[in-house]
Amino acid sequence: AAGVAGLEPEYQKFEEVVTRFYQEGLCRPAISLKLAQVEKCRDAVTSYYNKVRYTIQTLQLHDELEHKGWSEFKLRCPGRYDMQVPALDEPAFDFLRQDAPWMEVVKAILGDECKLTVMGCMLSVPGSKTQQWHSDGDHLSEHEHLAPYAVNVFVPLVDVDLKLGPTEFVPTTHLLFNYDPAAPVPSVTIPTPAGECLMFDYRVKHRGLANRGATARPMMYLTYGTKAWADRDNFSRKRYAKLPPLLEQRPPRSALPADREERMKLLRAEEEAAGQAKKDLKDAKALASPKPKVAAKGAEGAAK
């Protein structure tokens, strides 16, 4: 097939998958994480999400979240949270990096020198709305269609059916001049079980559908690029501030000390930590605010 004639011998076994990827802009290679790995990722994502939401609530940072967000936590649209989860950078999650089961297919598409550029989780809560159609990146040439320069790998951490809002794709829209095809191309949605990956070209048209279910839909995403490519638009750290230090959540009442004095001591310590965090945040904002200019003494005298 055009575009895969140079497939390395070690990757010939993926020829059908890679061919489909080149032609349609997406593929489902029937590759999955193990159940224990899925649960480990889901626990890390859920724990981080709950801690961030608790910190936002306690420090009253809702306006900051709505306005812009932070490098590690953003509201992409109502009910849809984009998270960079620190725990996933730990060695215990190497099965998402060099040991990922989909790496051979990614290398077959992008080449052996491809690299992981970003990893995160998009969490869609019940009631979230359908996204606008979009692609994640533009073409690198305005004159000829080039081979893929970036691949997204989506891995749901729960079984995704139509109610939970799977991603909807329009095949072939990754091709140059075909983002809005002259002849309508039927869109596709691919409900997948927890842990099974989907891959798609960075340029293909897609959108996350509304979550009409009763539970959240956490979707891991991993973006791989060719050696020379970097996404300076979607994930520029210079555009966003860092999250303030996260607060520890209050344990459930059943986990509090039975002794009243010990219980009150724990709650007071929690209140003091929250109060100090608010003060630190206020001080940081004051330092970041532009200072009013003071007229030079000579100029002030001249004005008089």
Side-chain angles (χ1 to χ4, degrees), residues 290-300:
K291 303 294 186 292
K293 293 182 178 180
V294 179
K297 192 172 183 180
E300 185 180 326

Side-chain angles (χ1 to χ4, degrees), residues 78-127:
R80 202 175 295 271
Y81 299 92
D82 187 353
M83 300 179 283
Q84 311 292 302
V85 182
L88 299 181
D89 293 331
E90 297 172 1
F93 291 90
D94 278 350
F95 59 82
L96 295 173
R97 288 182 288 277
Q98 60 267 30
D99 300 330
W102 49 77
M103 275 309 304
E104 281 192 302
V105 179
V106 174
K107 288 180 178 179
I109 295 169
L110 294 176
D112 284 335
E113 293 188 325
C114 66
K115 61 187 184 298
L116 177 64
T117 63
V118 68
M119 173 171 61
C121 182
M122 192 73 73
L123 189 142
S124 170
V125 300

Side-chain angles (χ1 to χ4, degrees), residues 19-63:
T19 298
R20 186 177 302 116
F21 186 94
Y22 268 78
Q23 292 175 344
E24 299 184 2
L26 63 147
C27 67
R28 183 181 183 179
I31 296 172
S32 301
L33 291 176
K34 298 174 182 176
L35 179 59
Q37 294 171 333
V38 173
E39 292 174 348
K40 191 170 186 175
C41 291
R42 188 169 60 239
D43 289 345
V45 166
T46 302
S47 174
Y48 183 70
Y49 172 77
N50 289 337
K51 190 173 285 191
V52 173
R53 292 293 295 171
Y54 176 75
T55 300
I56 290 172
Q57 177 71 33
T58 303
L59 301 183
Q60 300 176 358
L61 298 176
H62 301 93
D63 287 345

Side-chain angles (χ1 to χ4, degrees), residues 1-7 12:
V4 295
L7 205 60
Q12 287 295 330

Side-chain angles (χ1 to χ4, degrees), residues 6 54 78 95 128 143 151 173 188 205 211 240 268 296 304:
Y54 176 75
F95 59 82
S128 66
H143 308 291
V151 172
T173 51
V188 297
K205 183 191 285 190
N211 185 342
Y240 299 96
R268 278 195 300 269
K304 291 178 181 177

